[in-house]
């Protein structure tokens, strides 16, 4: 299935690159189930630069995900220097494709992170084609 | 820790379709929401709740069955590290 790239705009305006073109990102709508069973959507960026799916630690509380307190580790790239994360499992549904997934995830207490869908498991489950030249990206489920 | 855990696709209800999914329009967001969590209607046109935490926003918007939540990040470029 193909998805349009999303313009990286915020309340502060649209973000432009060095050529004056709008920055666009591969954003996917995920369907999540809260700890009381309620469903809601969240937006995630597909990030081939992230080794593992990385998301704000507040999702763990909202989804009722238990984090392994013993399995803390440090990562780099989402803050200043080394940033501690908790490891856990992130369950979600790709709304438009109707696909339920579980991926290993790093939960981070950071002002700069919402949801980044990283390589571990997710990139094994789909062929992901970034077709930036015509403003689309494609996910094709890998049949194993 | 999760060596014996089976990850990946659990269920596929729809399969692929030959459509291009439209991208979300987040123009309803305002400057004062940067750094906060928000809940929007499922068509992204209406702000349902704003708060300091995701849980607070979900509580405030509990009456609306279909909603989208996100943390509003500052409008800056993003790059992972390389080494």
């Amino acid at each position: 299935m193909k998805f349009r790239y999303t313009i990286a705009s915020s309340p502060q305006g649209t973000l432009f690159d060095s050529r004056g073109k709008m920055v666009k990102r591969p954003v996917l709508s995920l369907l999540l189930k809260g700890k009381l069973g309620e469903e809601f959507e969240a937006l995630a960026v597909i990030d081939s630069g992230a080794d593992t799916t990385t998301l704000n630690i507040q999702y763990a509380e909202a989804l009722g995900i238990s984090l392994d307190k013993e399995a803390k580790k440090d990562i780099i790239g989402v803050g200043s220097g080394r940033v501690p994360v908790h490891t856990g499992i992130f369950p979600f549904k790709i709304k438009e494709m109707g696909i339920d997934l579980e991926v290993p995830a790093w939960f981070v207490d950071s002002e700069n992170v919402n949801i980044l869908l990283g390589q571990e498991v997710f990139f094994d489950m789909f062929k992901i084609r970034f077709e930036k030249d015509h403003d689309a990206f494609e996910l094709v489920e890998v049949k194993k | 820790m999760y060596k014996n855990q089976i990850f990946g696709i659990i269920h596929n209800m729809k399969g692929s379709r030959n459509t291009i999914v439209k991208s979300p329009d987040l123009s309803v967001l305002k400057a004062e929401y940067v750094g906060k969590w928000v809940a929007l209607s499922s068509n992204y046109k209406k702000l349902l709740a704003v708060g300091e935490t995701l849980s607070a926003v979900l509580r405030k918007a509990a009456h609306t069955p279909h909603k989208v939540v996100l943390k509003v990040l500052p409008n800056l470029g993003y790059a992972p590290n390389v080494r």
Side-chain angles (χ1 to χ4, degrees):
Chain A
M1 180 174 281
K2 289 193 176 186
F3 301 81
R4 287 279 177 229
Y5 267 79
T6 295
I7 297 169
S9 65
S10 81
Q12 299 157 311
T14 301
L15 186 61
F16 294 96
D17 67 15
S18 56
R19 304 163 302 166
K21 294 188 174 183
M22 288 185 290
V23 173
K24 297 181 180 182
R25 295 177 179 139
V27 172
L28 205 54
S29 178
L30 310 182
L31 200 55
L32 309 180
K33 185 170 282 189
K35 60 184 175 185
L36 301 177
E38 76 283 17
E39 288 191 330
F40 57 92
E41 291 176 43
L43 301 177
V45 176
I46 298 176
D47 184 1
S48 63
D51 297 331
T52 293
T53 291
T54 305
L55 65 163
N56 195 292
I57 199 166
Q58 291 199 29
Y59 284 101
E61 157 66 17
L63 303 179
I65 295 170
S66 60
L67 300 176
D68 189 339
K69 303 294 184 190
E70 303 299 317
K72 286 175 72 174
K73 61 187 295 183
D74 288 345
I75 64 170
I76 56 171
V78 295
S80 177
R82 298 162 73 99
V83 176
V85 296
H86 294 271
T87 60
I89 298 169
F90 178 43
F92 60 91
K93 174 183 279 188
I94 301 176
K95 179 189 167 194
E96 303 293 347
M97 299 176 79
I99 293 177
D100 289 295
L101 280 157
E102 282 185 346
V103 298
W106 295 334
F107 293 84
V108 60
D109 186 4
S110 168
E111 285 295 305
N112 304 325
V113 176
N114 186 41
I115 303 175
L116 301 170
L117 288 173
Q119 289 194 40
E120 187 178 2
V121 176
F122 187 75
F123 277 60
D124 298 328
M125 295 295 108
F126 297 95
K127 291 179 182 174
I128 303 171
R129 185 155 55 190
F130 297 106
E131 302 173 356
K132 192 76 184 295
D133 59 309
H134 51 282
D135 199 27
F137 62 97
E138 183 176 30
L139 295 186
V140 177
E141 185 183 340
V142 172
K143 302 290 184 186
K144 290 189 175 177
Chain B
M1 165 192 172
Y2 297 117
K3 280 180 182 168
N4 298 319
Q5 176 83 29
I6 299 172
F7 292 106
I9 294 171
I10 298 166
H11 187 57
N12 181 352
M13 285 184 60
K14 294 182 184 173
S16 295
R17 295 178 297 186
N18 293 323
T19 55
I20 298 185
V21 178
K22 286 173 62 177
S23 57
D25 177 358
L26 302 175
S27 56
V28 69
L29 298 178
K30 296 179 181 174
E32 62 259 36
Y33 305 148
V34 172
K36 298 187 184 303
W37 291 84
V38 297
L40 307 176
S41 59
S42 58
N43 63 4
Y44 305 99
K45 291 185 176 174
K46 186 179 175 187
L47 179 78
L48 302 174
V50 58
E52 296 295 328
T53 67
L54 174 57
S55 293
V57 162
L58 287 171
R59 276 196 305 274
K60 289 179 186 175
H63 57 283
T64 305
H66 303 292
K67 53 189 168 279
V68 183
V69 300
L70 71 150
K71 184 169 178 63
V72 183
L73 300 180
N75 200 22
L76 299 170
Y78 162 76
N81 284 343
V82 176
R83 66 176 184 175

